[in-house]
Amino acid sequence: MIGNWNTTAVRTLRSLKGTSAPMTYTLIAVCCLIFVLGPASGFTPSYGTGEALAAAQRAYFRHWGVVPAGLFDGPAREALTPATALFIHGSWVHLLGNMLFLFVFGAMTEERMGRVEFTLFYVGCGYLALLGYAAANATSQQSLVGASGAISAVLGAFLYLFPSARVTSLLPFLFFLPLRFPAWVVLPFWAALQWLALGQAPAGPGVAYLAHLVGFGLGFGYAWGRYGRRTKVRTARAPAPEGENQP
């Protein structure tokens, strides 16, 4: 069994070295592994079942996630939680939705930025996105987890770097027909949906739409400031990424 795991690990590392976007796939793999080993997946018997499992999940999210009230008034270790929260997800839907967006938009963005810059960009913007949400909800005791702030930053950078890249979108008012639009249409539309949802979001647990918007703005601003007009990539004839645009 140990030998099989070692062989699998070696093959995985070799395959990552051969890709043009190894950090994108590494981030996806790490998020998936952490989720499977954590209490939210239901795969680890040691967390128990029923109320014991629910209590373990609450404690897990509170320890590794961002609790705005604790972030600003708690111990120094709380300052690390906006980074650790990027790798924690609350459910299978939460995980798979985020990883789909990272898979679709992360590879081309990483290819443009390079491995090291992309990794620092991803973690840094994700940290600031969660920090921005916490600052706007400084008295909240609710735990915030998920990579969506960092992934939203990737979407923002993608919009600036590859505005003409074609993205497959599912539009519900057209019976979920997959239609292809350029990124400059799809991604601002996605951001507009986040803004509208933010205005209607109830108080308490839910989707952190503000973190999405902060991350998106940070990503677009970083790409604009870092690369500028003269180095912006033109992708009118480039291979089109496949993705979904869902709120």
Side-chain angles (χ1 to χ4, degrees):
M1 178 64 72
I2 295 177
N4 291 337
W5 277 103
N6 289 337
T7 301
T8 302
V10 170
R11 289 177 178 175
T12 302
L13 290 174
R14 287 177 178 173
S15 64
L16 287 174
K17 289 181 179 180
T19 68
S20 57
M23 292 311 304
T24 295
Y25 304 126
T26 298
L27 288 168
I28 292 173
V30 169
C31 286
C32 291
L33 179 61
I34 290 175
F35 179 79
V36 169
L37 296 178
S41 69
F43 283 172
T44 308
S46 60
Y47 289 109
T49 59
E51 182 56 35
L53 177 60
Q57 291 173 349
R58 290 191 296 268
Y60 183 79
F61 296 147
R62 193 167 187 84
H63 182 77
W64 297 107
V66 177
V67 180
L71 179 62
F72 298 109
D73 296 327
R77 67 158 297 276
E78 294 292 331
L80 296 175
T81 57
T84 58
L86 295 176
F87 300 93
I88 308 299
H89 291 82
S91 68
W92 282 101
V93 172
H94 189 201
L95 173 73
L96 295 178
N98 276 348
M99 295 305 100
L100 173 63
F101 273 78
L102 181 55
F103 175 77
V104 170
F105 296 100
M108 288 179 65
T109 306
E110 181 184 346
E111 288 176 13
R112 179 66 184 91
M113 291 183 176
R115 302 174 185 179
V116 175
E117 182 180 348
F118 175 79
T119 303
L120 295 176
F121 162 81
Y122 179 92
V123 175
C125 287
Y127 185 102
L128 293 175
L130 295 184
L131 188 65
Y133 174 89
N137 300 271
T139 61
S140 175
Q141 295 287 342
Q142 298 294 335
S143 302
L144 176 65
V145 297
S148 54
I151 295 170
S152 296
V154 173
L155 300 187
F158 188 97
L159 173 61
Y160 183 82
L161 295 172
F162 308 102
S164 300
R166 309 291 286 189
V167 180
T168 301
S169 305
L170 297 178
L171 302 182
F173 51 86
L174 291 177
F175 304 101
F176 293 98
L177 294 177
L179 300 176
R180 295 176 65 77
F181 295 100
W184 67 265
V185 172
V186 172
L187 295 180
F189 178 69
W190 174 87
L193 290 179
Q194 306 306 300
W195 177 265
L196 293 174
L198 175 63
Q200 300 176 1
V207 179
Y209 297 108
L210 180 59
H212 298 178
L213 291 170
V214 172
F216 188 83
L218 287 171
F220 186 89
Y222 176 86
W224 177 70
R226 169 71 172 83
Y227 296 99
R229 288 183 175 273
R230 287 180 296 179
T231 58
K232 184 165 59 176
V233 177
R234 298 182 180 275
T235 58
R237 299 180 182 179
E242 297 293 335
E244 297 178 348
N245 175 38
Q246 298 178 348

